[in-house]
Amino acid sequence: MANLWVAFAAFFVAVILGLYQVMNRSGLFPEIESHELYFASVSTHGVLMGFVLTTFFIMGFGYYTATSTLKRELWSRGLAWVAFSIALGGTVMAAIPLLTGKASVLYTFYPPLMAHPTFYIGATLLVVGSWLWCLEMIMSTVTWKRDNPGKVVPLAMYGTTANAIMWLWTSAGVGIEMLFQLIPWSLGLMDTLDPGLARTLFSWTLHAIVYFWLFPAYIALYTLLPSAAGGRLFSDQMGRLAFIMLLVFSVPIGFHHLYMDPFQAAGWKFLHMMGTFMVAVPTLITGFTVIASLEIAGRLRGGKGLFGWIGALPWGNPMVLAAILAMLMLTFGGFGGMINASYSMNTMVHNTQWVTGHFHLIFAGTVVIMYFAIAY
């Protein structure tokens, strides 16, 4: 609960900043227009949403999942509080330069833009706290398997552990960038750094972090939604397959954010394009399985005909309504992702508001609405 409270407090602040950005860009309120405030706001909004809300929510939901599905205490309750404390301390450290305009480098914090070193150190501590959470999830599963030989890991914990393994690997990119480039550079210990290498290391993290965010939403779609809708999951095996595919395919494909980057070789960009199209497969599997589960629920509730089951669903149930809206927006966001993934079509939409729209459909449309439904 402590993790969830921090997550939603960050969300509240980020929403206020988002509203300010809309007002600033609208041209209707010239008295509040300010380049300095705008970029400080965008940077803080992005970090609070993309790193703070997600990391703390995922940690809190993971602890709940581990204890409720494995029917036992966490592997190390004390370590979980250490993880929370480190992550919270890092968040506060990073927030101070963000809110004072000393870290207006956006959520990607690409050099040669330089933030105050406190921002980089704080963001790194947030990631370190999440690594301890990863250890908690993995060891909780390992010890449960040791004590329950031959038993199948519950689906929700299976997905949570896959997410922890993926995050340990994919967050290493931004961790290396912070420790060996940005922090020494911002402290004045290095006169210069390699911006192309910095972008490469960040893109190691940049795309798979989206699946770090999405895993809890998918876990809820597979495990909480079917019972909330009054039915059952269409296929447990499809859920496990989707989680494994997300783990395997999402990690090595960050370069599709760098198609226009001269630092990357064309061959590597092509390979990352192929991998990016592959990562759509587990999302399609999830969409099919979840819709099939909803159809089962609708027919069990008396729905007739080809589409009569849709009207029979309990639309007043927050989880059901959130899930349907989330999948609707995931459909449009995923379509945009296919455009972004294309080596040629990306050229047309690169650095335009198309990318902003795609990103917000996935994040605000799918991730956040499911986080609220899970918390509810």
Side-chain angles (χ1 to χ4, degrees), residues 93-113:
M93 283 184 68
I96 294 170
L98 279 168
L99 293 170
T100 55
K102 296 179 181 178
S104 300
V105 291
L106 306 184
Y107 128 94
T108 49
F109 45 82
Y110 284 145
L113 292 173

Side-chain angles (χ1 to χ4, degrees), residues 277 280 283-284 328-342 345 354 358 361-362:
F277 280 112
T283 299
L284 292 171
L328 180 66
M329 288 181 277
L330 182 65
T331 301
F332 288 106
F335 166 75
M338 292 294 93
I339 302 298
N340 299 338
S342 168
M345 284 190 284
W354 170 282
H358 159 73
L361 277 168
I362 297 292

